Amino acid sequence: MQPVCYRLESAWQPDGGPFGRFTFTLVNLSDSPLRDFRLVYTSLTRIIDGAACENAVFLRRNANFHEFAPPKGFILGAGESWTFTVSGLHRQAKHCTDGAKSAYLTLSDERHVPVAVSDLLLEGATSEPPPQRLPQGKIDLPYALQPWPAKIDVVPGDGFPVVLYPESGSSKDEISAADTVLALFHRLFPGGHAPFTLASSPQGRPIVFAEKPELGPEAYALAFSEREIRLEYGAAAGRQYGLTTLAQLLDGARREGGKFRFPVSGTISDQPRYGWRGCHLDVSRQFYPTADVMRLIDILAWFKLNIFHWHLTDDEAWRLEIKAYPTLTTLGVLRGPDEPMLPQLGNGAEPVGGFYSQDEVRAIVAHAGALSIEVVPEIDIPGHSTAALVALPELADGQEAPESYHSVQGYPNNALNPAIPLTYEFLEKVFDEMVELFPSQYIHVGGDEVANGSWLASPLARKLMEQEGISGTFALQSYFLKKVKQMLTARGRKLVGWNEVAHGGGVGTEGTLLMAWENPKVGIELAREGYDVVMTPGQAYYLDMAQAEAFQEPGASWAGTATPAHTYAYEAEGEFPEELKHRMKGVQACIWSEHFLSRGYFNRLVFPRLPAIAEAAWTPKAQKDWLRFAAIAPLSPIL
């Protein structure tokens, strides 16, 4: 690998502007002087006043993309540095990930060369190291279970069986279920000792299966004795969860025998607290290869989560192959200095792309289905559609003034226009292909963060609003989403969306599920309006939020600090009036990827909060115990 010849150092000072200021220093580590160059960096802390910089010329910004030039005639000699400051920021920096995520230089001959980027430093205040995320932990019952079961009354044994195996005479489906969980264990813990064998073993213990539909489809019951283990299950999902519990018990006893044990007698009776136990993954901001998506699904299965919400499109990329519109995954995924979309969120001099072919989607959906996980796809509309509009410029109103509105992330004119007939033809064809790929009864259509003022500079939109008696952006959004709901209903699907779907009059509540993300009270308001609700408030369940206030802790901060303890303790239905609790269908973790530039950042931010949410989704409130969870969480698999 060629060494990078330039490095960008950065620091943030609390003074020097309404939201502080950045000081950037570009160091020339090459053997040649630099002249007539431009510097680009990407940062979520955006510049809104280009004039508020010293010793540099601000050239342009697009969302997180920022471009500067040095003063005219400036030459950066070999071994020398160029320092400039920027104070016209849209918010203050609160964490080390709020600075530059990537950088590159555009040279005088228009070549682009990479620039290494250092961590953002804090100046003018004390930069404390982040605290430990988990306490030491304490267990009263010595069992390694995640999530903790609804009822457990078992006696720990002094030892444990080497393996467990299906009793002779077990059905093919029961043997296959054991094989599925065995394969899951091998994928998650390739160095671990297998908990199951499909052949009987004198050092093992048989599992006696019994189907009991009256338990409910996701419920199971285990009865332990020295001779056998009896597993009763309501349906295939309950059988899988019971086998997963056995695998966890045996693995914990084997890995940390001084702390965890395997039951010798007693019973476990278990079923989930909520029907919707979800985890969302944003693959638009950062692309995750198919193998990574499948491993995340494996982790969800280990924690008995049953919904994988796949956020496939956003401003930054459209990741789902649609054969009717091939440019969505050619033009609509490429980010780079000379590509259809500019670098964002950690991209540099090299172009980046990535999408999921329909064959890959089918493989992922089948993989999830084999683990009792439903894949709910999301295309985010009408906002967050920059990538789609780049791929299909005919979807825009050519008469609309450029940059007539900006999204909260800084993207100009990024919403599909409800007044363009082609918009609906486009969506009809997209939905036709999606329903063939995804058997889920749900399709998520986003509906979030449409900027107030969107479309108001579009002559086509203004004409439609006049014809239909529509006033304002959100009433027009409601008009659009009602048509989208009709499309989904015609295809036998239910509409899922973020809580803003209810804005401007919303859509029909029948067959609609909304996700409350902005704050917990929004969920109650939606339930009062008659919507079914999944709770996923950023203040507790967004796994990109920083886990401590310390500057050195990575992550976002708009929803505050979500420590693992807070995420674990949060009770989504806590403020729901009794008469509305039936509207709350479950809870969901959300993995937004703006800050996930590395596997290390992903694992640091997602764990242990993902298993904490899994326990909130499964375990009754009275059975939750933070110190017990803290003792078991280190056994979790990671990506």
Side-chain angles (χ1 to χ4, degrees):
M1 188 171 75
Q2 294 294 320
V4 177
C5 294
Y6 311 96
R7 177 171 287 277
L8 185 66
E9 303 284 359
S10 59
W12 180 78
Q13 296 87 22
D15 57 1
F19 296 110
R21 61 175 173 159
F22 284 131
T23 297
F24 292 105
T25 300
L26 177 67
V27 182
N28 182 0
L29 300 170
S30 76
D31 296 327
S32 302
L34 273 177
R35 56 169 57 87
D36 299 326
F37 64 91
R38 305 190 300 276
L39 170 69
V40 166
Y41 70 79
T42 68
S43 173
L44 283 161
T45 307
R46 301 190 300 275
I47 293 172
I48 57 174
D49 181 4
C53 60
E54 295 181 6
N55 202 33
V57 178
F58 174 70
L59 299 177
R60 59 174 172 156
R61 177 178 69 80
N62 178 273
N64 309 287
F65 170 99
H66 300 76
E67 186 173 35
F68 292 85
K72 188 174 182 178
F74 178 80
I75 298 175
L76 181 59
E80 296 181 352
S81 60
W82 164 45
T83 297
F84 65 98
T85 63
V86 175
S87 58
L89 308 176
H90 85 294
R91 61 173 173 82
Q92 68 180 37
K94 293 186 177 181
H95 297 281
C96 62
T97 45
D98 284 336
K101 293 186 177 299
S102 61
Y104 66 89
L105 295 177
T106 300
L107 305 181
S108 57
D109 59 3
E110 294 302 310
R111 286 186 300 122
H112 309 290
V113 296
V115 173
V117 175
S118 295
D119 288 343
L120 180 66
L121 300 179
L122 173 65
E123 293 183 2
T126 302
S127 181
E128 299 287 348
Q132 290 293 317
R133 291 171 294 161
L134 288 172
Q136 182 66 34
K138 178 179 178 293
I139 53 172
D140 295 322
L141 297 174
Y143 307 111
L145 290 175
Q146 298 182 88
W148 197 253
K151 295 180 181 178
I152 179 169
D153 184 13
V154 290
V155 176
D158 293 330
F160 52 84
V162 174
V163 288
L164 309 175
Y165 58 90
E167 181 194 37
S168 176
S170 297
S171 72
K172 177 182 178 297
D173 286 347
E174 290 163 346
I175 295 169
S176 295
D179 182 68
T180 295
V181 177
L182 173 60
L184 172 66
F185 179 87
H186 276 313
R187 293 193 299 270
L188 291 176
F189 307 102
H193 190 286
F196 303 136
T197 177
L198 302 187
S200 63
S201 169
Q203 298 185 76
R205 195 168 300 168
I207 304 170
V208 180
F209 291 94
E211 186 172 5
K212 302 282 187 180
E214 63 270 22
L215 290 176
E218 294 189 301
Y220 69 91
L222 292 165
F224 296 87
S225 73
E226 293 185 354
R227 183 174 59 85
E228 66 182 24
I229 298 168
R230 181 175 175 84
L231 169 53
E232 296 179 348
Y233 59 92
R239 180 176 59 203
Q240 175 191 310
Y241 298 148
L243 288 166
T244 303
T245 290
L246 291 174
Q248 291 181 356
L249 285 168
L250 190 51
D251 180 58
R254 181 176 281 121
R255 284 165 64 183
E256 294 193 33
K259 181 187 293 186
F260 302 114
R261 312 276 282 280
F262 191 83
V264 70
S265 64
T267 60
I268 294 175
S269 299
D270 205 8
Q271 62 183 9
R273 183 178 183 185
Y274 298 119
W276 186 291
R277 305 181 304 283
C279 179
H280 150 291
L281 179 66
D282 160 26
V283 298
S284 180
R285 275 56 178 265
Q286 311 292 345
F287 181 70
Y288 298 80
T290 294
D292 286 356
V293 176
M294 287 188 170
R295 180 167 177 87
L296 178 62
I297 288 170
D298 283 343
I299 292 169
L300 305 189
W302 189 248
F303 295 138
K304 301 186 176 78
L305 294 166
N306 67 344
I307 299 290
F308 174 55
H309 171 181
W310 201 2
H311 185 87
L312 287 159
T313 76
D314 215 297
D315 290 306
E316 290 81 2
W318 180 291
R319 303 292 190 188
L320 174 63
E321 181 189 19
I322 299 296
K323 294 186 182 295
Y325 299 103
T327 56
L328 287 171
T329 46
T330 54
L331 303 178
V333 298
L334 286 175
R335 302 199 297 255
D338 301 313
E339 300 302 334
M341 293 183 290
L342 291 169
Q344 303 286 349
L345 299 171
N347 308 141
E350 292 297 319
V352 296
F355 68 94
Y356 304 96
S357 71
Q358 293 197 357
D359 284 344
E360 288 174 313
V361 169
R362 291 186 188 96
I364 288 169
V365 169
H367 182 78
L371 294 169
S372 305
I373 292 173
E374 181 177 348
V375 179
V376 175
E378 178 185 355
I379 59 164
D380 201 349
I381 55 175
H384 288 283
S385 292
T386 296
L389 292 167
V390 166
L392 298 166
E394 60 269 29
L395 293 179
D397 180 356
Q399 307 169 85
E400 186 175 15
E403 303 205 24
S404 58
Y405 63 90
H406 289 80
S407 73
V408 67
Q409 288 83 13
Y411 285 94
N413 296 23
N414 73 330
L416 297 179
N417 195 318
I420 297 177
L422 189 60
T423 295
Y424 302 103
E425 178 185 331
F426 163 68
L427 291 174
E428 295 266 11
K429 291 181 179 179
V430 169
F431 290 141
D432 281 342
E433 296 193 30
M434 290 181 73
V435 297
E436 293 298 319
L437 293 170
F438 299 98
S440 171
Q441 62 179 314
Y442 298 104
I443 290 182
H444 201 299
V445 298
D448 61 314
E449 295 185 325
V450 172
N452 195 5
S454 297
W455 310 307
L456 300 186
S458 160
L460 290 175
R462 299 292 297 185
K463 181 179 179 181
L464 175 64
M465 294 169 73
E466 184 177 342
Q467 289 174 345
E468 298 292 331
I470 295 171
S471 176
T473 291
F474 300 119
L476 187 53
Q477 173 182 291
S478 172
Y479 170 90
F480 169 83
L481 290 173
K482 285 173 180 174
K483 287 185 172 293
V484 169
K485 183 173 171 63
Q486 289 172 356
M487 294 181 199
L488 296 180
T489 301
R491 290 162 175 78
R493 297 297 192 266
K494 296 179 180 179
L495 183 148
V496 191
W498 303 107
N499 53 246
E500 296 98 318
V501 167
H503 287 180
V507 300
T509 58
E510 184 69 27
T512 298
L513 179 69
L514 298 187
M515 295 184 167
W517 69 272
E518 289 182 281
N519 59 67
K521 292 182 179 179
V522 166
I524 299 173
E525 294 166 5
L526 293 172
R528 288 195 193 282
E529 294 175 29
Y531 291 104
D532 287 340
V533 179
V534 168
M535 295 295 287
T536 179
Q539 293 78 8
Y541 287 171
Y542 269 32
L543 301 186
D544 59 322
M545 289 299 119
Q547 298 175 86
E549 293 185 3
F551 191 84
Q552 294 178 38
E553 181 70 23
S557 57
W558 66 262
T561 299
T563 66
H566 171 69
T567 294
Y568 183 84
Y570 175 70
E571 278 294 307
E573 69 176 43
E575 298 179 14
F576 265 71
E578 196 63 37
E579 69 273 14
L580 295 178
K581 286 186 177 179
H582 69 286
R583 291 286 180 196
M584 188 190 146
K585 300 304 179 182
V587 299
Q588 179 170 291
C590 283
I591 301 174
W592 296 101
S593 296
E594 286 93 336
H595 291 289
F596 292 173
L597 303 189
S598 68
R599 186 69 58 94
Y601 269 158
F602 185 98
N603 286 327
R604 179 185 178 90
L605 285 160
V606 171
F607 304 99
R609 292 185 295 184
L610 179 59
I613 296 168
E615 190 144 310
W618 184 279
T619 307
K621 178 182 178 182
Q623 303 303 321
K624 290 169 65 176
D625 184 317
W626 166 241
L627 290 179
R628 181 201 63 227
F629 172 83
I632 300 169
L635 296 177
S636 298
I638 59 176
L639 194 67

